[in-house]
Amino acid sequence: MISTEHTDRLAAITVFGEFTLADYKEFEELVNYKIQFNGALDLLFDLREMAGFTLDVAWEEIKFSRRHAHDFRRIAVLTEDQWLTWSAWVSQLFVDAEVRVFSDESEARSWLAAGEATEAVP
């Protein structure tokens, strides 16, 4: 199950339990809508409560990342799991976005907000 929160320039997704393909499709729909109407986007993935993910989610993530390689500015991943930290690093190979892993949500949100403020300055 996922929970989403979004503003014009940010999509935040929290995963609870197993991350399923249906959850990922919900995430994709939100992101596609935000990109279509607002352009490049920041992402916040909170994976601290994620119990795992299905193989089809991993495949969908690779396809999605390749389709949207230039559509993200910054991606913050909240986790303390070393495997997820490593996979976030690998994800950087598919997107132009700056990807960072955090264990503290306020630090992640501050980093995302700092990027947004930097972009607003001419």
Side-chain angles (χ1 to χ4, degrees), residues 58-72:
W59 178 242
E60 190 66 24
E61 201 280 326
I62 291 169
K63 294 187 310 183
F64 181 80
S65 294
R66 293 188 71 185
R67 278 193 310 269
H68 294 285
H70 310 292
D71 292 331
F72 303 110

Side-chain angles (χ1 to χ4, degrees), residues 32-50:
N32 286 332
Y33 179 84
K34 300 301 290 177
I35 291 169
Q36 179 181 357
F37 291 102
N38 299 346
L41 188 63
D42 291 331
L43 295 176
L44 173 63
F45 281 106
D46 186 344
L47 306 178
R48 295 174 293 179
E49 301 296 323
M50 184 176 79

Side-chain angles (χ1 to χ4, degrees), residues 30-103:
L30 170 65
V31 169
N32 286 332
Y33 179 84
K34 300 301 290 177
I35 291 169
Q36 179 181 357
F37 291 102
N38 299 346
L41 188 63
D42 291 331
L43 295 176
L44 173 63
F45 281 106
D46 186 344
L47 306 178
R48 295 174 293 179
E49 301 296 323
M50 184 176 79
F53 55 90
T54 59
L55 186 55
D56 51 356
V57 167
W59 178 242
E60 190 66 24
E61 201 280 326
I62 291 169
K63 294 187 310 183
F64 181 80
S65 294
R66 293 188 71 185
R67 278 193 310 269
H68 294 285
H70 310 292
D71 292 331
F72 303 110
R73 295 181 311 224
R74 287 182 166 198
I75 301 171
V77 180
L78 280 167
T79 186
E80 294 181 7
D81 182 288
Q82 286 296 0
W83 170 250
L84 293 174
T85 299
W86 182 81
S87 82
W89 178 79
V90 168
S91 294
Q92 275 190 296
L93 300 174
F94 299 108
V95 295
D96 290 339
E98 189 175 354
V99 179
R100 288 206 187 160
V101 178
F102 297 87
S103 57

